[in-house]
Amino acid sequence: MAQAVALGAIRAVYPPQCISCGALVSSDFGLCGSCWRDTPFITGPCCHLCGTPVADDSASQAADLRCEDCHATDRNWQAGRAVMLYRDKGRSLVLALKRGDRLDLAQPMAGWLARAAGPLLTGGMLIAPMPLHRWRLFRRQFNQAALLSAGLAQRVGLDHCPDLLIRARATGSQEGRTREARFAALEGAITIAPRQATRIQGRAVLLVDDVMTSGASFTAAAAACHAAGAARVSVLALARVAKDA
């Protein structure tokens, strides 16, 4: 009773606000109706490998739908999903987390990831974030992918291994690079941490990142997981860069 009274008093002074615009909402860590409509969440048929929205004329083929990019690129993971498209309100929310201004966004975003990840999750799955190079991590002081993957693992009750992967060399920003240059820069750049090698053998792995563009980072990480004996690799992005979507 006392706890409920205290919570009511706190909310009277600090009522829940929209995580995007600050408008009053009914519950903590939510979006107001306007911001929800302006956030490009991915719903309906989507690519089985990356989560991009796909027009589907046959529901019976939904399990094997592929977007144009995944038809043109040989993916080395088995399934994938994304929460939203990387544009408009979705882009601004991702950048707010990525720049470190709004680390509180990791909590609601983990909930969104948990809903999107439903088709990917299996018992005994190991969840791991995409790694940052040690110098970038030193400058930034946090890995946004690790914040997201930790929240996701807690919500779905699966093992989390934040240091499963190592970015063995600095690859610089991928922004502005061609697709071919992105894949070339990441080839062999991600490895399994030696002390975690035994955790991955024979297990399904879910790799988590904030943004998927070409899929080069996921490709490098999935290759490392398969080489270390993972039984299956799936990928999950908070946002997907997709042309014409």
Side-chain angles (χ1 to χ4, degrees), residues 88-102:
D88 306 328
K89 188 75 69 175
R91 182 175 185 274
S92 64
L93 286 169
V94 171
L95 289 178
L97 172 69
K98 192 166 190 170
R99 291 168 177 166
D101 300 323
R102 294 288 309 279

Side-chain angles (χ1 to χ4, degrees), residues 19-32:
I19 60 174
S20 178
C21 71
L24 296 182
V25 292
S26 60
S27 60
D28 292 324
F29 303 109
L31 290 167
C32 68

Side-chain angles (χ1 to χ4, degrees), residues 32-234:
C32 68
S34 178
C35 288
W36 183 271
R37 288 191 298 272
D38 292 342
T39 303
F41 289 107
I42 297 172
T43 59
C46 64
C47 175
H48 176 67
L49 291 174
C50 74
T52 299
V54 176
D56 179 27
D57 296 327
S58 173
S60 64
Q61 297 178 359
D64 195 36
L65 288 175
R66 296 195 183 191
C67 67
E68 182 179 336
D69 278 355
C70 290
H71 269 300
T73 305
D74 185 19
R75 303 299 190 191
N76 62 347
W77 62 81
Q78 284 65 59
R81 290 293 186 276
V83 171
M84 64 182 75
L85 294 171
Y86 187 66
R87 59 173 171 78
D88 306 328
K89 188 75 69 175
R91 182 175 185 274
S92 64
L93 286 169
V94 171
L95 289 178
L97 172 69
K98 192 166 190 170
R99 291 168 177 166
D101 300 323
R102 294 288 309 279
L103 298 185
D104 60 295
L105 292 175
Q107 180 173 339
M109 288 173 172
W112 301 343
L113 285 166
R115 287 192 291 272
L120 309 177
L121 302 179
T122 61
M125 176 175 268
L126 184 65
I127 296 178
M130 294 297 297
L132 293 177
H133 186 265
R134 62 183 181 277
W135 290 116
R136 179 171 289 187
L137 182 60
F138 176 77
R139 290 192 299 270
R140 187 178 291 177
Q141 296 297 304
F142 72 97
N143 178 358
Q144 69 276 7
L147 295 177
L148 294 171
S149 61
L152 169 64
Q154 183 177 33
R155 285 175 178 267
V156 301
L158 292 171
D159 288 348
H160 183 233
C161 189
D163 57 348
L164 177 70
L165 298 165
I166 296 173
R167 195 172 289 254
R169 67 171 188 271
T171 54
S173 172
Q174 293 281 68
E175 188 172 353
R177 290 178 176 174
T178 64
R179 169 182 290 272
E180 293 75 16
R182 287 172 181 263
F183 279 86
L186 269 297
E187 187 175 0
I190 297 176
T191 62
I192 299 294
R195 66 179 177 274
Q196 300 294 0
T198 58
R199 293 191 66 182
I200 197 173
Q201 293 176 7
R203 298 181 71 174
V205 177
L206 177 61
L207 302 174
V208 179
D209 206 358
D210 58 340
V211 179
M212 175 181 173
T213 305
S214 66
S217 294
F218 277 137
T219 296
C225 290
H226 283 304
R232 177 181 175 88
V233 178
S234 300

